[in-house]
Amino acid sequence: MPRRIQVLPDALANQIAAGEVVERPASVVKELIENALDAAATRIDIEIRNGGKTEIRVADDGHGMSRDDALLCFDRHATSKIRVPDDLRIVRTLGFRGEALPSIASVSRTTLETAEQGGVGTRVRVAAGRVLGVEDCARQVGTTVVVRNLFVNEPARAKFFRSAAVETRAIVDVVQAHALAHLSTAFRLESNGRALLELPAAPDLASRAGALWGDDVAARFLALRHVHEGVSAAGLVERPDAAPTGPRRVHLYIEGRPFRDRELVRAVERAYRTTVPHGTRPSVLLYIGVRAGDVDVNVHPSKAEVRFRERWRVEAAIEQAVRSALAGIESAATLDTRPGLPRMPQLERQSGDERAAPPIGQLAFFVPAAPGDPDAERADAEAAPGGARTESRARLWQVHDMYIIAETRSGMLIIDQHSAHERVLFEQIMAGFGNGATTSQRLLFPITLRLTPSEYDVVDSLRALFEGVGFEIEPFGGRTVIVHSAPNPHPYFDPQRCLRDMVGELATGSELTRAAHNQHERIAMTFACKGAIKAGQKLSQQEMDELFGRLFDTELPYHDVHGRPTVIRLSLEEMERRFGRHG
Ligand SMILES: Nc1ncnc2c1ncn2[C@@H]1O[C@H](COP(=O)(O)OP(=O)(O)OP(=O)(O)O)[C@@H](O)[C@H]1O
Ligand SMILES: [Mg+2]
């Protein structure tokens, strides 16, 4: 009997592998950039023609290859990056399979030019997987790979290419994604001779984000940094009041490697609860680090996904990280027209040999923040005169019976009295639901309310929760109810109006009631919104002091439950700038 099974020739095996590795021009660009980064390049120049369909050229100034390696690198499973199985567990390079170059070369016409320190340059030409020639060439240290006519031998796959504009967009995304993780490398992307991206080496993430998107976009972000039980998270998240505007950007990295993960993005979104309206999708740039061995990066054909050993731990750490960033004064809206870019965690370059011995359990990304820097403003707010965290007396002024102005060490805060009180009441009610504490007063004259059928349903089904807020409600036949007790959140509180407004909103539904995640939140939010001090209410000094103090005792003092800011900060610096006091 003849054998049915045979081992595929290399060229065919590579072509099959290419099916997974190379999907479109952007995948080629991704692989070539990763190789350049692994070679510790400080500059990567990318040129594309016709969306990369006609030509892709990636040049780097990395360590280059010897003549032998230049030939070997087109062999399947030829890699310099891992040697023994254990290396895979702690792989620090972006590549490790030895598949990218042979795959690319099997479906295109590829030329590689490379030179090592002190060596002569080598040029290797490969067409559809066949080596056409190897020769000396003049070249500085580094590597250039030119890939022409992608899928020249697979017209069926070339048919799946999209327009040059769409393929170009995908390539821009790939370059951006890597540029945001490798700050000390300069990137340049040119399409049909026109520069699309010009990114010099950046000292920190803020400058890189600014170079990519403009400083005003970068300034919408909040820096975060958090380490918890072996998981570190650093990066940028959008300020809640900025979140609804503009297209969303999501970039996740593990050890300098971009990856996708819907669940982690959800964890970020969970952290935004009660600070943004439902459906708001904030942008995120997150750099995650776990202990060696706690992540498997070898689970996806194009390495676009990873697997965490203890995913819940990572999700929890990320949620906490974002939550604590939202709690800081840096998350407050600013008045500054030229807001200082967020002070961001500096990311260290993450490539090649420098990654050889990373500290275990800690991201090589993180370098300590400038001493005393990031938390200064936060401390400032907490130490604000009259702040809840100090005993000193407040210096607060009310303007237009709507806003409270507070002096702080580095400038001033403008507080929206209604929004601020909303945040205070919301957190107070939610805490009360948790520990059973309610503050309620027996009414001297019980209130009688006639309700519509849907309003009656709301009251009837949520009676226990209304009670948790402090409303003791008794059905009185028909659709009438009697209210015996009511909360007393402030001296100007009108229980009848508050309850009517709450019930009305709960019965008809509103953006706010939809933003809530459960009935408890729904009740707490509507009560906070209807029961808080109104704009237009004059406040005594003592009332202002109390509101101010209680606001800064909340978990998220800078955001109300609608996604609006409660506080706007104006720095001395900005005032000086506006009054021309600089210089
Ligand atoms: N730009 C470059 N500079 C220096 N060496 C390179 C460069 N590109 C490739 N190499 C060498 O060629 C080898 C093969 O590259 P290739 O991309 O095919 O595999 P890999 O990077 O090891 O793994 P992966 O398939 O996961 O990308 C690399 O291990 C590296 O030694
Ligand atoms: Mg590679």
Side-chain angles (χ1 to χ4, degrees), residues 31 34-35 38 81 95-96 100-101 303:
E31 294 297 339
E34 290 185 357
N35 282 347
D38 282 344
K81 300 172 189 176
F96 50 82
L101 286 179
K303 304 177 194 149

Side-chain angles (χ1 to χ4, degrees), residues 171-182 212 251 253 256 258 287:
I171 290 171
V172 171
D173 287 347
V174 162
V175 179
Q176 267 196 31
H178 279 96
L180 285 165
H182 302 274
L212 276 173
H251 293 279
Y253 300 91
Y287 303 80

Side-chain angles (χ1 to χ4, degrees), residues 213-224 234-251 265 268-269 271-273 275-277 279-286 321-328 330-333 342 344 556 558-559 563:
W213 305 321
D215 286 352
D216 51 330
V217 173
R220 297 212 306 245
F221 286 94
L222 274 173
L224 66 88
L236 301 175
V237 287
E238 217 163 0
R239 269 215 307 268
D241 59 306
T245 60
R248 140 134 132 177
R249 300 177 168 86
V250 174
H251 293 279
V265 176
V268 171
E269 286 169 349
Y272 274 86
R273 276 173 67 163
T275 69
V276 293
T280 305
R281 300 161 74 239
S283 296
V284 236
L285 275 78
L286 217 49
V322 178
R323 196 74 174 172
S324 46
L326 294 180
E330 292 83 3
S331 75
M344 271 174 273
L556 299 173
Y558 303 103
H559 317 282

Side-chain angles (χ1 to χ4, degrees), residues 248 261-271 315 319:
R248 140 134 132 177
D261 194 319
R262 297 246 307 271
E263 292 307 314
L264 290 192
V265 176
R266 282 215 191 100
V268 171
E269 286 169 349
R270 273 201 299 282
E315 284 178 18
E319 192 176 335

Side-chain angles (χ1 to χ4, degrees), residues 21 31-32 34-39 60 62-65 69 72-75 78-82 94-103 112 114 142-145 303:
V21 178
E31 294 297 339
L32 298 181
E34 290 185 357
N35 282 347
L37 289 167
D38 282 344
D60 68 59
H63 55 56
M65 281 179 268
D69 280 353
L72 202 55
C73 73
F74 287 106
D75 277 359
T79 183
S80 57
K81 300 172 189 176
I82 59 173
L94 296 166
F96 50 82
R97 296 177 179 172
E99 279 195 336
L101 286 179
S103 301
L112 173 126
T114 188
T143 303
T144 304
V145 179
K303 304 177 194 149

